[in-house]
Amino acid sequence: MAGVLPVYRAIFMHLWKERNMARIYNFNAGPAALPVEVLVKAQSDLVEFSGAGMSLMEMSHRSKDFQAIIDAAEANVRELMGVPEDYAVLFLQGGASLQFATIPMNLRRPGKSADYVNTGSWAGKAVKEAKLTGDVNIAWDGKAEGFKRAPKPCELNLSPDAEYVHICSNETIGGIRFAEFPKTDAPLIADMSSEIMSRVVDVSRFGMIYAGAQKNIGPSGLALVIIRKDLMERCPETVPYFLRYTTHANEGSMYNTPNTWGIYILKLITEWMLGKGGIPAMQKADEEKAAALYSVLDSSSFWTTVAEKESRSIMNVVWRLPSEELEEKFVADAKKSGLIGLKGHRSVGGIRASIYNAVPKASVDALIAFMKDFEAKNG
Ligand SMILES: Cc1ncc(COP(=O)(O)O)c(C=O)c1O
């Protein structure tokens, strides 16, 4: 704990005593920090769920108890995000990565093309999968600029007959986001894995929104898909049943055995969000955390942020230090002070702090205190 100011140490010790457990300052990119209240509730349900004499993990997904959980999870998602009736809410397996493959298989009809915006690692993976099964038009490519920003809507070179336009709304690795979503004639599809439910979004502007759960809304191994029902009907007959959205929509996300535990945790997390004031409250808290961190980064030339200002992510803050040696020392010293998950992604290096909904302001305050101390000693 050396290096963390006494007040943060006190918070840490308080939590430790209250919960009889050690909670570290967790800045992991995903799987990531979950709300302590949710973990405590899940722990209490772990061995015996609600008087059932067994754990939820031992229960049939066809049971009344589980049906109530998945119904509540869907209702919470609909309430939080204001999902219109003509959209299906699906809980799928295979993470966001399987969506990269199934989106073009389902929504780009034979002989047609789709527009993709290349903003970095995750958008690039979606492009790679889409190219395997048909034509792709790259409507904008940030590679030559080093993926430092998202494009302005007017910069997109959209094709008039595209089946859809795909974006990654927040690039987890590069730490950039679309501050403003493009208006498109073709349905807009967004990978929101690393920012879902952190900002108020008008779902009706999208054909589909999807996210791997393991950052803001649950554990890994679960993907949330929100899709306009008429788009699902485009799916060619040659697509395997399991990979069709209609299959899962028709079976209430229970065509096969779903990730029951993941859906249960998602239900608890969405309840937690509703109890805190919903997405507007999440957004306010997230913007405050990010503003505090960026203001330290902007205050000294010791730190260099990577993203251009207007594209800065609110969830994944990425920066560099004067040398790679100092970056290594920063990560190692932070770990000694109880701050973990700060190493930038191996593909880009540097430092990354992921400050998702469940990361408390106290964690960001502890990080800022550590940064000031580190700069004073090494700057
Ligand atoms: C923006 C984004 N898209 C997609 C993925 C892939 O998600 P999954 O591991 O659930 O397949 C990630 C994972 O970190 C991500 O950050």
Side-chain angles (χ1 to χ4, degrees):
M1 294 296 292
V4 177
L5 289 178
V7 59
Y8 305 116
R9 188 189 170 107
I11 295 167
F12 187 91
M13 294 309 287
H14 172 72
L15 260 179
W16 188 86
K17 276 194 196 137
E18 278 288 294
R19 309 281 187 202
N20 194 23
M21 67 179 92
R23 295 288 296 167
I24 209 155
Y25 297 116
N26 182 353
F27 298 97
N28 278 336
L34 298 177
V36 185
E37 297 92 320
V38 166
L39 296 176
V40 170
K41 170 81 177 103
Q43 184 186 39
S44 79
D45 283 349
L46 190 65
V47 178
E48 191 193 4
F49 179 79
S50 185
M54 62 181 143
S55 157
L56 177 84
M57 281 184 284
E58 301 167 289
M59 218 176 251
S60 168
H61 57 296
R62 308 279 174 207
S63 64
K64 268 199 188 134
D65 277 331
F66 185 71
Q67 189 63 54
I69 288 169
I70 196 168
D71 288 347
E74 176 173 342
N76 291 351
V77 171
R78 287 189 181 276
E79 184 178 345
L80 280 164
M81 295 185 69
V83 179
E85 270 309 303
D86 57 333
Y87 285 68
V89 173
L90 308 176
F91 301 106
L92 305 180
Q93 296 175 63
S97 299
L98 185 59
Q99 298 307 310
F100 295 159
T102 51
I103 289 165
M105 289 168 90
N106 279 258
L107 305 182
R108 181 186 53 193
R109 284 161 290 199
K112 299 232 176 178
S113 177
D115 285 344
Y116 277 73
V117 182
N118 188 18
T119 43
S121 308
W122 293 110
K125 284 203 169 171
V127 169
K128 202 170 151 200
E129 287 285 0
K131 280 186 172 168
L132 276 182
T133 49
D135 286 340
V136 166
N137 167 49
I138 302 297
W140 185 83
D141 197 339
K143 192 169 181 206
E145 294 179 24
F147 295 127
K148 288 188 169 58
R149 67 183 182 96
K152 292 186 187 69
C154 63
E155 291 177 283
L156 298 181
N157 184 17
L158 301 172
S159 29
D161 52 355
E163 287 277 78
Y164 58 83
V165 180
H166 182 278
I167 62 168
C168 175
S169 66
N170 183 78
E171 286 281 356
T172 323
I173 294 174
I176 58 169
R177 70 159 188 168
F178 279 81
E180 195 189 334
F181 296 118
K183 283 200 180 75
T184 56
D185 292 332
L188 183 61
I189 298 185
D191 172 4
M192 291 198 184
S193 295
S194 47
E195 68 160 8
I196 188 125
M197 299 196 197
S198 69
R199 68 199 277 198
V200 176
V201 160
D202 176 1
V203 175
S204 70
R205 282 192 55 193
F206 295 82
M208 173 174 163
I209 290 172
Y210 67 101
Q214 66 274 17
K215 294 140 197 318
N216 260 345
I217 52 174
S220 58
L222 177 68
L224 172 67
V225 167
I226 301 169
I227 181 168
R228 222 175 67 204
K229 287 176 183 167
D230 62 305
L231 293 177
M232 296 192 296
E233 303 303 331
R234 285 183 182 179
C235 185
E237 280 299 310
T238 47
V239 173
Y241 290 115
F242 188 79
L243 302 181
R244 299 181 190 183
Y245 294 115
T246 46
T247 300
H248 298 283
N250 292 341
E251 301 289 339
S253 298
M254 289 207 266
Y255 171 70
N256 71 325
T257 318
N259 177 350
T260 53
W261 181 254
I263 293 166
Y264 163 66
I265 299 290
L266 182 142
K267 173 200 170 262
L268 294 184
I269 293 175
T270 47
E271 254 164 38
W272 173 82
M273 287 188 204
L274 285 165
K276 296 250 170 226
I279 296 178
M282 296 292 127
Q283 178 169 344
K284 186 167 175 287
D286 290 335
E287 285 175 354
E288 279 168 14
K289 286 184 287 179
L293 194 45
Y294 282 119
S295 119
V296 174
L297 292 169
D298 288 340
S299 70
S300 155
S301 58
F302 185 65
W303 320 104
T304 311
T305 51
V306 175
E308 288 187 9
K309 270 193 179 161
E310 60 280 12
S311 293
R312 281 175 169 178
S313 171
I314 301 302
M315 298 276 99
N316 311 99
V317 181
V318 177
W319 71 94
R320 307 295 314 231
L321 269 71
S323 68
E324 285 185 15
E325 290 69 38
L326 269 178
E327 287 171 352
E328 263 175 45
K329 185 168 168 29
F330 181 92
V331 172
D333 287 3
K335 194 170 175 193
K336 283 186 215 147
S337 297
L339 305 144
I340 63 115
L342 290 164
K343 195 170 164 37
H345 190 270
R346 58 192 180 280
S347 61
V348 295
I351 309 292
R352 170 177 57 177
S354 295
I355 47 175
Y356 299 121
N357 290 358
V359 173
K361 177 74 165 44
S363 290
V364 176
D365 290 343
L367 173 58
I368 288 172
F370 169 78
M371 287 167 72
K372 288 186 174 160
D373 188 48
F374 187 86
E375 187 187 359
K377 288 181 181 144
N378 300 281

